[in-house]
Amino acid sequence: MEKEYDIIIVGAGPAGSVAARFAAEQGVSVLMLEKDRDVGYPVRCGEAVSKRSLIQYIEPDKTFIRSQINKFSLSAPSGKEVVIEFEDTGYVLERRVFDYELAKLAAAAGAEILTRAYVNGLLFEDGKVSGVKYEYRGEQKEVKAKIVIAADGVESRVGRWAGLKTHIDFRDMECCAQVTASNIPVDGNTCYFYFGKNVAPNGYFWVFPKGNNTANIGLGVGGHIGKSKSALSYLNDFMDKHFPGAPILTSIAGGVPCSVTLDKITAAGIMLTGDAARQVNPLSGGGISSGMAGGSIAGRIAGEAVKANKPDHIFTYEKEWHEKLGKKHEVYDRLKNGIYNFTDAKFNNIADSFLSVPYEKRTLGRLFTTALFNQPSLLIDVAKVFVI
């Protein structure tokens, strides 16, 4: 361990590991600190990702891919099921292995990694972030850096310590609960989604297969819903109805920030990325792909800033992120607000209408067009996402 590094990354999830790698590839010194004893643990994720987004940052490998997805099944409250095939491949991952592999790529690029390092404060010089304080094996330590990248997840405190406003409306903080269960008889190539007030009001329920009759089964509901009935209660009801007696291998719960990116994700000497920056897809709640995208931009720009000795170069990060995905996330957020408030009758009508579409002509774009037929402004957003 050195006393000073060019760049310190806090958090070794997908966003942090990709940031560490892209920074180290610039030839600067990089240290990544992870509070847990293992990279990739605990897993709090549905673990689904598209191949198209994955291959930008890592080569797909059977060691961390549990199933290959080419179909979506969407079930309305009435029980009617709409199945859509798609050309793009998706994966359900084994995050414990996947996160390890991302961290190994960062290490191969030259980044140092330290686990069980609990960051509990920032260092400042002349109002600028200049390093971090952390606890390691019972001892309090400090390490300086030219730039700190906060990739410390949805509970991120690092950004707040730097004076950045990281709070979001509680209605945009999805309450999520999930189990990984076995003896689940589902098609291993299909991701299943359920909608309606009795399964996931103002959200959706999912069943993602992981091979060998194992699946991730969970839901996300708006923060205001959790006040009257918890996400865990909805999960238990679903399991009792659809998979009674299924052996539960893991159980997790937590919050997912389904909102647009924070207004400010940089300040003097610091950058936020991944869940810490609220870079999650607001519509799906998926954060793996967007976290890696944000991490790659943050890491590269931080490395460039150090190499060129231009600290203010990090402020280009916000614009580049906005052009890469932030702008699209604003569209997804409007679509989310239009769809998640649908009544059960509306969901049923959508299913009835879409079932009349020939199977080979069913696409996600067409489904959204059907769902939002009477909302012209949102139809423009659908075109931006699925057509343009």
Side-chain angles (χ1 to χ4, degrees):
M1 288 286 298
E2 304 295 334
K3 293 184 177 180
E4 183 171 354
Y5 289 81
D6 291 321
I7 298 167
I8 293 174
I9 290 95
V10 181
S17 286
V18 172
R21 171 184 156 198
F22 275 67
E25 287 176 345
Q26 303 294 314
V28 300
S29 61
V30 176
L31 173 65
M32 182 163 63
L33 301 174
E34 168 57 44
K35 65 182 175 66
D36 289 305
R37 66 180 185 182
D38 295 309
V39 171
Y41 183 85
V43 176
R44 292 183 296 175
C45 179
E47 302 183 286
V49 66
S50 71
K51 177 181 178 180
R52 181 170 51 185
S53 60
L54 186 76
I55 59 176
Q56 297 178 56
Y57 308 104
I58 189 171
E59 190 67 27
D61 191 281
K62 63 182 180 180
T63 60
F64 57 74
I65 292 173
R66 289 294 170 261
S67 61
Q68 187 165 307
I69 304 301
N70 55 30
K71 284 181 288 187
F72 286 155
S73 165
L74 303 104
S75 292
S78 64
K80 291 185 178 180
E81 179 186 29
V82 173
V83 177
I84 302 173
E85 288 193 35
F86 51 90
E87 294 182 0
D88 292 338
T89 299
Y91 298 124
V92 178
L93 306 173
E94 187 62 57
R95 276 286 304 273
R96 298 184 188 191
V97 181
F98 176 71
D99 285 21
Y100 257 73
E101 294 304 313
L102 287 178
K104 285 163 63 178
L105 289 174
E112 293 184 37
I113 303 171
L114 185 65
T115 61
R116 299 184 72 177
Y118 182 73
V119 173
N120 52 22
L122 293 174
L123 302 176
F124 293 89
E125 289 183 8
D126 300 323
K128 172 184 176 295
V129 174
S130 60
V132 302
K133 304 173 185 177
Y134 68 99
E135 183 180 320
Y136 180 67
R137 295 183 177 178
E139 293 185 24
Q140 188 64 33
K141 297 177 179 290
E142 296 182 355
V143 59
K144 299 185 69 174
K146 296 181 177 69
I147 298 169
V148 172
I149 298 178
D152 53 331
V154 62
E155 305 96 342
S156 177
R157 299 183 300 165
V158 177
R160 293 201 302 274
W161 293 335
L164 293 170
K165 295 181 179 179
T166 60
H167 66 275
I168 61 173
D169 191 300
F170 75 96
R171 288 167 294 189
D172 289 324
M173 182 62 76
E174 295 278 309
C175 300
C176 299
Q178 177 181 275
V179 296
T180 301
S182 59
N183 297 348
I184 306 298
V186 293
D187 178 10
N189 302 120
T190 303
C191 278
Y192 298 81
F193 300 88
Y194 299 80
F195 300 88
K197 66 179 182 180
N198 291 324
V199 291
N202 295 105
Y204 67 90
F205 204 105
W206 65 81
V207 178
F208 294 165
K210 295 191 69 174
N212 299 320
N213 288 330
T214 302
N216 288 337
I217 304 170
L219 77 154
V221 296
H224 62 296
I225 298 295
K227 288 184 175 182
S228 56
K229 183 176 179 178
S230 69
L232 181 59
S233 295
Y234 283 107
L235 175 58
N236 290 337
D237 290 347
F238 186 93
M239 294 298 293
D240 290 342
K241 179 179 180 180
H242 295 273
F243 307 115
I248 304 301
L249 306 177
T250 63
S251 300
I252 56 173
V256 175
C258 293
S259 66
V260 296
T261 308
L262 296 175
D263 289 337
K264 286 187 64 61
I265 54 176
T266 54
I270 190 167
M271 310 164 79
L272 274 58
T273 193
D275 284 12
R278 313 302 183 228
Q279 290 174 331
V280 173
N281 181 324
L283 181 59
S284 69
I288 300 174
S289 300
S290 53
M292 292 191 295
S296 69
I297 299 169
R300 174 178 53 78
I301 288 177
E304 291 171 351
V306 171
K307 286 175 62 178
N309 195 25
K310 293 182 178 180
D312 288 348
H313 180 58
I314 66 171
F315 292 104
T316 64
Y317 168 49
E318 292 182 359
K319 181 179 180 181
E320 191 164 334
W321 161 255
H322 186 71
E323 292 300 316
K324 174 78 173 180
L325 277 179
K327 189 160 46 176
K328 184 172 283 190
H329 281 190
E330 292 172 0
V331 174
Y332 286 141
D333 190 57
R334 292 193 292 271
L335 292 177
K336 177 198 76 172
N337 292 331
I339 292 170
Y340 283 4
N341 290 318
F342 284 171
T343 63
D344 282 7
K346 176 67 171 177
F347 280 124
N348 291 335
N349 288 336
I350 293 167
D352 290 339
S353 298
F354 205 68
L355 284 170
S356 65
V357 176
Y359 185 82
E360 66 278 4
K361 293 185 178 180
R362 296 177 188 175
T363 64
L364 280 178
R366 191 160 187 170
L367 177 65
F368 275 97
T369 301
T370 301
L372 300 167
F373 182 76
N374 294 318
Q375 296 174 264
S377 62
L378 291 180
L379 284 176
I380 296 173
D381 288 332
V382 170
K384 290 177 182 177
V385 175
F386 295 104
V387 179
I388 298 175

